[in-house]
Amino acid sequence: MKRSSQTDLSTSHRLISDMFKWPDTPEEWEPYRLSHEQIAHYNQYGYVAGIKMLEEWQVDQLNEELAQITDPAHPGNGLFYQFASNESTDPNTVLFHALGAWRITTGFHDILWNPAFVMAASQLLGDRAVRFWHDQLFCKPARHGGVVAWHQDYSYWTRTSPLQHLTCWTALDNATKENGCLYYVPYSQHWGLLDKPELAGDMEGLMDYLTPEQKVQFKPVPIELRKGYASFHHPLMVHGSFANTSERSRRAFVLNVFADGTRSNTDGELLPHTPPIPKGAKMEGPFYPLLFDPLSIGTVPTYPSSPNPSRSSR
């Protein structure tokens, strides 16, 4: 990976723009809370969908930033942990996939501290403090967008433990069955940890690892989302997305988090080109910032002050 000529935003563990307003009181946090029904749906089925994350102007800003950083010549390219202009194993399709955008642009940095995101994540983790793991970008161009094969996220994350993780998938285009939306297999979070297939390879590769009973239970449901809306899923939820053969792109970003207290499960590299954390040591430090602690609500201060006192949610 080439060295970046741009400032690394991972040194800032707070909002750095006016994209969001951090709530200051318990009352200001209330609109961001998931309902009891939404939490119950997650606990039963392994996912919850249709959660509003972004206003249209915020989606537009992120798509503008995305258009810039998908260029391999962008000066911040060296800050990506991984960057694949095309990760698809099918030469006739394209799947852009990259990790580390939060280090490069203000919008993709500040979505980590989106109040709607951190509150929902904390609730779904059992009202625990939330720490950042890593982000992802997934882009499927119109007409020839590639698949994301059936998989479980935690099968790629066993270098951290215990299993107390969570994934949030947010649409930057309207995501439909036609352009390759996400599919979930309800109840599959109870199947235990399965062997991992190649992420952008054979869509059905996971089937080789399923029992006859699991194959009978394998009934995916499409998660169609309007742009700016998100779904959250359990780290053992089997999910994937089919090819995009429509006339519309399908862009999305993913935020992966874990409950504070998660530990390294390896002495090796946790994310490319970052310092290792010894096996058994707590996951923390500049690349794994604490995003939100529900115990901080109502305390003073609840959040570091912004360098821009005029920030607002518009």
Side-chain angles (χ1 to χ4, degrees):
M1 180 178 289
K2 66 182 181 181
R3 188 173 181 178
S4 172
S5 59
Q6 179 174 305
T7 301
D8 185 353
L9 300 183
S10 69
T11 59
S12 296
H13 295 168
R14 61 177 188 172
L15 292 169
I16 58 175
S17 75
D18 65 352
M19 195 170 188
F20 303 100
K21 180 182 183 300
W22 191 262
D24 292 321
T25 66
E27 293 73 23
E28 290 178 352
W29 277 107
E30 281 303 311
Y32 300 109
R33 290 187 181 276
L34 298 180
S35 68
H36 294 301
E37 292 76 15
Q38 288 171 318
I39 296 172
H41 190 283
Y42 174 86
N43 289 334
Q44 179 176 357
Y45 297 101
Y47 73 93
V48 62
I51 312 300
K52 186 175 182 180
M53 286 288 124
L54 302 167
E55 301 293 343
E56 187 164 345
W57 70 267
Q58 294 167 324
V59 173
D60 290 343
Q61 177 178 327
L62 291 173
N63 279 330
E64 289 176 8
E65 293 181 7
L66 181 62
Q68 298 168 11
I69 61 178
T70 52
D71 180 357
H74 187 276
N77 187 269
L79 293 172
F80 278 113
Y81 304 123
Q82 297 176 16
F83 182 93
S85 295
N86 186 12
E87 194 168 340
S88 176
T89 60
D90 180 349
N92 298 312
T93 63
V94 172
L95 177 70
F96 174 86
H97 181 211
L99 282 68
W102 79 292
R103 303 174 65 182
I104 302 171
T105 72
T106 57
F108 282 109
H109 174 277
D110 278 6
I111 55 175
L112 274 62
W113 284 273
N114 176 357
F117 166 63
V118 297
M119 173 55 77
S122 176
Q123 288 180 278
L124 295 174
L125 287 170
D127 295 313
R128 299 179 64 184
V130 180
R131 195 170 284 275
F132 184 55
W133 179 204
H134 64 76
D135 60 0
Q136 294 170 279
L137 300 172
F138 284 102
C139 303
K140 300 182 181 187
R143 295 180 293 279
H144 59 280
V147 307
V148 177
W150 299 115
H151 69 284
Q152 298 170 309
D153 288 341
Y154 190 69
S155 67
Y156 299 91
W157 298 345
T158 54
R159 60 193 184 276
T160 58
S161 66
L163 193 158
Q164 49 187 14
H165 299 55
L166 183 69
T167 300
C168 178
W169 192 101
T170 303
L172 291 174
D173 291 303
N174 292 334
T176 66
K177 290 181 284 187
E178 289 71 31
N179 73 346
C181 72
L182 203 61
Y183 279 72
Y184 290 138
V185 180
Y187 305 108
S188 59
Q189 75 273 17
H190 301 302
W191 292 356
L193 184 62
L194 305 170
D195 286 336
K196 60 183 180 183
E198 190 169 6
L199 188 63
D202 178 9
M203 184 72 193
E204 306 298 326
L206 186 71
M207 294 300 177
D208 294 338
Y209 309 128
L210 300 185
T211 67
E213 293 76 16
Q214 289 167 344
K215 289 179 181 179
V216 171
Q217 299 168 22
F218 195 94
K219 297 177 180 179
V221 296
I223 307 299
E224 296 188 296
L225 293 168
R226 285 186 290 161
K227 62 182 180 180
Y229 284 72
S231 63
F232 288 82
H233 63 261
H234 189 279
L236 293 182
M237 165 62 62
V238 173
H239 62 289
S241 58
F242 293 97
N244 178 13
T245 57
S246 76
E247 296 300 312
R248 297 178 294 108
S249 64
R250 200 231 65 182
R251 296 166 289 183
F253 68 87
V254 176
L255 299 178
N256 303 299
V257 296
F258 40 63
D260 188 33
T262 302
R263 297 183 178 275
S264 169
N265 197 33
T266 179
D267 288 321
E269 197 173 58
L270 287 155
L271 289 172
H273 313 292
T274 61
I277 295 177
K279 185 174 183 178
K282 181 180 176 180
M283 295 289 295
E284 58 185 351
F287 299 106
Y288 314 103
L290 187 68
L291 303 181
F292 176 71
D293 185 347
L295 296 179
S296 71
I297 294 178
T299 63
V300 180
T302 59
Y303 190 73
S305 60
S306 168
N308 180 2
S310 65
R311 73 176 186 226
S312 70
S313 59
R314 298 192 194 178

